[in-house]
């Protein structure tokens, strides 16, 4: 049994993670020995040979311990563990001597170019069969790109490279693109978010895309590309023979100007299932243009992210047509667009169409009020496919939720995950929510965060949770004020029903 | 607060929050970062802090929003001795630096991606036994 500083431990200690104060990673004093037990830390699944550690400072002895474990791991994730280039030397030999290692995630460690240099020594060995490499936010610069290029050219086993959040720049990524051009490179997924790329990168990218029929996923989010570059990229994508499945261009400086070209990609690439243009001011006019491609029979889009795109209710006519006719569309995110009740009403009409196969709808922070809840309710009592509904950050109020619950209770409704955070809810609506929890076996996840439910409301929810016919597994209650007594009640409830997680 | 350390034990059938943590300590963990941590990637402040403070973790859905206050804990404790408002909350007398983190995208499964907004706001808290235990919200200084 572990005996840590400053807190109680539950028995048995299966996993242990250390918490840092103030965002720093001071390693707390560890018990020097645990009687008769192998001290396990982080997440080591010995069956699956996966090492998964996040936010843990590594003492030299701890590192030595882990290295032994890593020798036989299939996947290694060491995220924000204060690793540096010196750790990379060790990792390099692990890569070299562990033929079963397929996945290496080292995000959020200041490895620097020197660190990557070491890593790549191991990566370049013929014995290395690494498939997935994550080096996000590792303080890399363009100087790393030459070495990464060699890896891309030499390792056909490498199918995924995630190097976002590094100041690689256009010059650096141009070098990466050269690596991709090598026929030995069989890259499938490339993630270049926040890499300080500019419009100039597109020429090199297009050349790489032409040569890479294996490429399935491309993310260029959070690079100031602009319309001209994005249009050029779209032309390149259409010409390329790759069966692109995912394209993420969030916050790329796209306006309605690019939407016709993005539309062309949609109507040409039936392989494209996942498109995100969130955080770009495309507006209603841009959305109208996008819909031309989205509605095209060739387009088999499944997941569409249009969050914070400056859309208003005017876009909802086109969005409704999309939802009710595009049977491949499973998920749509419209967060932070001023759709308003009138817009939501149109979307709900679409949800009532039997052709709609939408499973997940995100309308968080869309300017909705109680007024739209009747129509939403009506949609919920008709639609059998919708599984996940995010309506947080809208002033729905108790009255609104009461109306929603009517629809939720309908036998047709199959909602599994419901998010109503910060919706101006009080204890008054909790009785009805409790009824939904104990009636709808399909409901497994419920978020009521940031609502002033108070002790009275929380107690009603707890009562529902205790009920054996309640199937809720995750109850999310962030930022709600309750008393110490209710706090104890919640803990006791979790102890008595271990399949339930109360997250706060 | 330097050297303040908590031990977390996660059992497979997880638990709410950190074992043995008081509500005040939880408040500090989720909402106070002073001095403001300088993260390796400045634009990933929210992601880094929420992970380090164990708000986001594998197996937990992404928290849709979270506010970090960049003021000493004492300043927030001091707010507890002020006159409560109609809702029973107390506000800090001066505006303080805060970072409001909002989930972006359309996924509640980690990795969680956030948008950060830094402003100078008054902070409203709920207090119990003279200590802040709940962040009720923030507001801009009246002009």
């Amino acid at each position: 049994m572990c005996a840590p500083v400053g807190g109680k431990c539950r028995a048995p200690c299966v996993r242990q993670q250390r918490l840092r104060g103030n965002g720093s990673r001071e390693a707390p004093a560890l018990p020097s020995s645990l009687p008769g037990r192998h001290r396990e830390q982080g997440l080591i699944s010995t069956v699956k040979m996966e090492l998964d550690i996040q936010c843990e400072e590594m003492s030299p002895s701890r590192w030595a311990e882990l290295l032994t474990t890593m020798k036989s791991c299939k996947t290694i994730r060491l995220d924000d563990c204060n690793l540096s280039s010196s750790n990379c030397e060790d990792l390099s030999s692990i890569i070299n001597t562990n033929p079963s290692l397929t996945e290496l995630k080292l995000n959020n460690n200041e490895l620097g170019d020197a660190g990557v240099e070491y890593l790549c020594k191991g990566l370049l060995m013929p014995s290395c069969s690494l498939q997935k490499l994550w080096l996000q936010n590792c303080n890399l610069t363009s100087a790393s790109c030459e070495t990464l290029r060699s890896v891309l050219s030499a390792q056909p086993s490498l199918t995924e490279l995630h190097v976002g959040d590094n100041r690689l720049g256009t010059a650096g990524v141009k070098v990466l693109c050269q690596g991709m051009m090598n026929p030995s490179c069989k890259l499938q997924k490339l993630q270049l978010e926040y890499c300080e790329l500019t419009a100039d990168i597109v020429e090199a990218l297009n050349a790489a895309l032409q040569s890479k029929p294996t490429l399935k996923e491309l993310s260029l989010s959070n690079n100031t590309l602009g319309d001209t570059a994005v249009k050029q990229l779209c032309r390149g994508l259409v010409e390329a023979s790759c069966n692109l499945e995912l394209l993420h261009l969030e916050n790329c400086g796209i306006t309605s100007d690019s939407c016709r070209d993005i539309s062309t990609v949609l109507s040409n690439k039936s392989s494209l299932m996942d498109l995100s243009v969130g955080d770009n001011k495309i507006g209603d006019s841009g959305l109208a243009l996008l819909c031309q491609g989205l509605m095209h029979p060739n387009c088999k889009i499944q997941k569409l992210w249009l969050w914070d795109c400056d859309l208003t209710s005017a876009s909802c006519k086109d969005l409704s047509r999309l939802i009710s006719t595009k049977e491949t569309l499973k998920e749509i995110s419209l967060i932070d667009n001023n759709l308003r009740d009138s817009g939501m009403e149109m979307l709900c009409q679409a949800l009532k169409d039997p052709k709609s196969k939408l499973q997940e709808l995100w309308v968080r922070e869309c300017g909705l009020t109680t007024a739209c809840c009747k129509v939403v309710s009506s949609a919920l009592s008709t639609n059998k496919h919708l599984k996940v509904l995010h309506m947080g950050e809208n002033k729905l109020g108790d009255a609104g939720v009461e109306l929603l619950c009517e629809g939720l209770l309908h036998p047709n409704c199959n909602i599994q995950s419901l998010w109503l955070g910060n919706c101006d809810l009080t204890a008054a609506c909790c009785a009805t929510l409790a009824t939904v929890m104990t009636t709808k076996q399909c409901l497994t996840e419920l978020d009521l965060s940031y609502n002033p439910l108070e002790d009275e409301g929380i107690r009603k929810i707890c009562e529902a949770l205790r009920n054996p016919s309640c199937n809720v597994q995750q109850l999310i209650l962030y930022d709600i004020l309750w008393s110490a007594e209710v706090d104890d009640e919640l803990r006791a409830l979790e102890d008595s029903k271990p399949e339930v997680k109360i997250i706060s | 607060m330097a050297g303040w350390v908590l031990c977390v034990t996660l059992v497979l059938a997880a638990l709410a929050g950190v074992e043995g943590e008081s509500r005040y300590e939880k408040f500090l963990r989720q909402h106070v970062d002073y001095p403001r941590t300088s993260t390796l990637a400045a634009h990933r402040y929210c992601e880094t802090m929420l992970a380090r403070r164990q708000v986001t973790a594998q197996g937990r859905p992404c928290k849709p929003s979270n506010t970090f206050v960049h003021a000493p804990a004492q300043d927030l404790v001091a707010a507890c001795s002020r006159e409560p408002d109609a809702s029973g909350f107390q506000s800090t007398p001066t505006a303080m630096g805060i970072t409001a983190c909002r989930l972006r995208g359309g996924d509640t499964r980690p990795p969680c991606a956030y948008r950060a907004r830094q402003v100078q706001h008054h902070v409203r808290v709920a207090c119990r036994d003279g200590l802040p235990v709940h962040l009720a919200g923030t507001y801009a200084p009246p002009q």
Side-chain angles (χ1 to χ4, degrees):
Chain A
M1 234 65 82
C2 62
V5 175
K8 297 177 292 215
C9 256
R10 277 181 145 205
C13 284
V14 178
R15 327 174 216 155
Q16 209 173 6
Q17 267 185 320
R18 261 164 286 121
L19 187 74
R20 284 125 314 285
N22 276 355
S24 66
R25 270 179 268 92
E26 306 118 15
L30 278 175
S32 53
S33 67
L34 290 165
R37 285 182 92 87
H38 168 62
R39 186 180 64 201
E40 282 195 283
Q41 280 161 357
L43 191 67
I44 304 170
S45 163
T46 43
V47 176
K48 288 195 222 164
M49 302 313 295
E50 293 171 358
L51 179 68
D52 190 334
I53 300 183
Q54 184 175 310
C55 297
E56 185 183 309
E57 185 101 358
M58 301 280 166
S59 67
S61 55
R62 171 70 168 141
W63 181 245
E65 230 179 76
L66 283 176
L67 283 175
T68 320
T69 315
M70 283 193 257
K71 285 202 170 89
S72 43
C73 278
K74 284 207 182 93
T75 71
I76 295 171
R77 175 173 173 256
L78 298 165
D79 192 323
D80 193 12
C81 294
N82 203 27
L83 302 181
S84 64
S85 58
S86 54
N87 300 101
C88 292
E89 270 200 89
D90 295 326
L91 285 168
S92 192
S93 69
I94 298 282
I95 295 168
N96 207 358
T97 54
N98 180 352
S100 48
L101 186 67
T102 57
E103 202 172 300
L104 181 62
K105 290 185 176 177
L106 300 170
N107 294 349
N108 305 304
N109 293 293
E110 212 168 329
L111 308 179
D113 297 324
V116 169
E117 192 76 44
Y118 282 127
L119 279 179
C120 288
K121 283 199 172 77
L123 291 170
L124 285 167
M125 292 290 155
S127 52
C128 167
S129 47
L130 195 75
Q131 294 170 14
K132 304 177 188 185
L133 179 61
W134 297 63
L135 296 168
Q136 279 176 238
N137 190 23
C138 290
N139 200 22
L140 310 185
T141 71
S142 59
S144 282
C145 295
E146 194 54 61
T147 347
L148 287 170
R149 173 174 76 149
S150 328
V151 175
L152 282 169
S153 314
Q155 290 299 8
S157 61
L158 193 72
T159 56
E160 286 187 35
L161 181 63
H162 304 257
V163 282
D165 296 286
N166 290 297
R167 310 179 85 155
L168 305 181
T170 297
V173 176
K174 274 186 183 168
V175 174
L176 283 184
C177 288
Q178 284 168 22
M180 281 174 70
M181 306 268 286
N182 192 304
S184 299
C185 174
K186 302 276 182 262
L187 201 68
Q188 294 176 16
K189 301 185 186 183
L190 180 62
Q191 199 267 75
L192 296 166
E193 260 196 80
Y194 281 116
C195 281
E196 296 190 351
L197 303 179
T198 58
D200 294 340
I201 193 55
V202 178
E203 202 180 320
L205 264 176
N206 278 347
L209 289 169
Q210 285 298 330
S211 71
K212 215 79 296 169
T214 53
L215 196 74
K216 291 202 176 83
E217 295 188 10
L218 178 64
S219 173
L220 296 166
S221 298
N222 301 296
N223 289 292
T224 317
L225 301 180
D227 285 319
T228 314
V230 170
K231 279 155 51 168
Q232 194 188 352
L233 176 70
C234 289
R235 288 193 288 273
L237 284 168
V238 170
E239 282 164 22
S241 59
C242 61
N243 291 324
L244 199 72
E245 294 174 4
L246 180 149
L247 180 63
H248 282 191
L249 297 169
E250 300 179 340
N251 189 25
C252 284
I254 298 175
T255 72
S256 58
D257 221 30
S258 294
C259 293
R260 197 168 270 117
D261 291 87
I262 302 175
S263 216
T264 312
V265 178
L266 287 161
S267 53
N268 271 277
K269 292 282 174 198
S270 299
S271 54
L272 193 63
M273 296 188 291
D274 185 331
L275 174 70
S276 177
V277 289
D279 203 3
N280 288 296
K281 306 268 169 273
I282 62 170
D284 296 324
S285 54
L287 192 279
L289 289 165
L290 270 185
C291 280
Q292 284 172 20
L294 288 164
M295 293 292 293
H296 194 282
N298 281 352
C299 175
K300 305 274 182 270
I301 196 80
Q302 292 181 17
K303 187 164 147 183
L304 180 63
W305 284 8
L306 298 165
W307 56 275
D308 195 12
C309 282
D310 246 10
L311 309 181
T312 71
S313 54
S315 279
C316 292
K317 193 145 182 248
D318 282 325
L319 287 168
S320 301
R321 263 194 319 133
L322 183 66
I323 290 171
S324 58
T325 52
K326 188 89 332 186
E327 299 200 42
T328 55
L329 188 66
K330 290 203 177 80
E331 182 186 324
I332 186 164
S333 174
L334 296 162
I335 321 178
D336 205 2
N337 287 297
N338 201 17
L339 305 182
R340 308 183 77 117
D341 295 321
S342 53
M344 188 63 189
E345 279 165 27
M346 283 188 258
L347 295 181
C348 288
Q349 291 312 323
L351 287 171
K352 287 161 99 161
D353 192 311
K355 287 196 299 306
S356 164
K357 301 286 186 295
L358 195 71
Q359 293 178 16
E360 206 165 314
L361 175 63
W362 290 63
V363 285
R364 198 178 84 224
E365 209 175 342
C366 287
L368 312 181
T369 72
T370 315
C372 72
C373 293
K374 192 137 183 87
V375 190
V376 179
S377 193
S378 166
L380 288 169
S381 45
T382 326
N383 183 301
K384 297 183 189 176
H385 299 277
L386 198 66
K387 294 197 170 83
V388 180
L389 178 59
H390 284 258
M391 285 189 80
E393 312 275 338
N394 290 299
K395 294 194 190 312
L396 306 180
D398 294 322
V401 166
E402 296 274 353
L403 286 165
L404 283 182
C405 287
E406 278 174 32
L408 289 165
L409 284 166
H410 196 284
N412 280 341
C413 178
N414 289 315
I415 291 278
Q416 296 174 6
S417 177
L418 179 63
W419 297 69
L420 298 168
N422 198 14
C423 285
D424 284 353
L425 309 182
T426 72
C429 69
C430 290
T432 325
L433 280 170
T435 310
V436 174
M437 287 166 73
T438 52
T439 314
K440 297 300 289 192
Q441 307 284 290
C442 50
L443 187 70
T444 56
E445 187 171 59
L446 178 62
D447 170 44
L448 297 168
S449 298
Y450 218 88
N451 286 300
L453 303 180
E454 302 198 331
D455 282 2
E456 192 196 328
I458 299 292
R459 286 208 156 102
K460 292 209 172 88
I461 302 292
C462 280
E463 213 180 295
L465 265 182
R466 273 186 221 107
N467 192 313
S469 50
C470 173
N471 248 353
V472 171
Q473 287 156 30
Q474 293 208 120
L475 179 64
I476 301 145
L477 300 172
Y478 283 118
D479 295 315
I480 299 176
L481 177 65
W482 54 65
S483 65
E485 292 78 34
V486 165
D487 209 35
D488 292 335
E489 218 177 295
L490 287 164
R491 280 182 214 266
L493 179 44
E494 269 197 311
D495 284 343
S496 66
K497 226 178 170 184
E499 65 272 24
V500 172
K501 272 198 239 180
I502 300 178
I503 295 165
S504 67
Chain B
M1 274 195 34
W4 164 74
V5 149
L6 288 175
C7 173
V8 179
T9 305
L10 287 176
V11 184
L12 279 164
L15 75 147
V18 171
E19 192 74 51
E21 183 183 53
S22 72
R23 291 194 295 158
Y24 170 60
E25 285 168 337
K26 183 175 176 178
F27 172 85
L28 293 177
R29 172 169 64 86
Q30 293 194 347
H31 297 299
V32 179
D33 178 33
Y34 180 80
R36 191 178 195 269
T37 301
S38 164
T39 53
L40 179 53
H43 58 269
R44 293 292 190 192
Y45 172 84
C46 291
E47 287 85 341
T48 308
M49 287 306 296
L50 288 168
R52 287 188 187 172
R53 296 299 182 87
Q54 298 221 306
V55 178
T56 57
Q58 298 288 101
R60 277 168 84 92
C62 300
K63 189 181 186 201
S65 67
N66 191 76
T67 299
F68 284 105
V69 181
H70 313 300
Q74 300 95 283
D75 289 5
L76 290 157
V77 174
C80 291
S81 37
R82 304 195 79 221
E83 194 66 38
D85 60 26
S87 318
F89 300 130
Q90 281 127 314
S91 298
T92 56
T94 52
M96 342 177 110
I98 66 146
T99 304
C101 299
R102 280 155 61 219
L103 188 68
R104 53 164 120 188
D107 217 329
T108 53
R109 290 171 297 269
C112 312
Y114 290 89
R115 324 174 68 176
R117 197 169 142 248
Q118 281 184 265
V119 286
Q120 293 283 121
H121 270 195
H122 291 264
V123 179
R124 278 169 93 219
V125 294
C127 302
R128 293 293 178 269
D129 301 326
L131 293 174
V133 294
H134 171 73
L135 187 71
T138 70
Y139 60 92
Q143 294 303 313

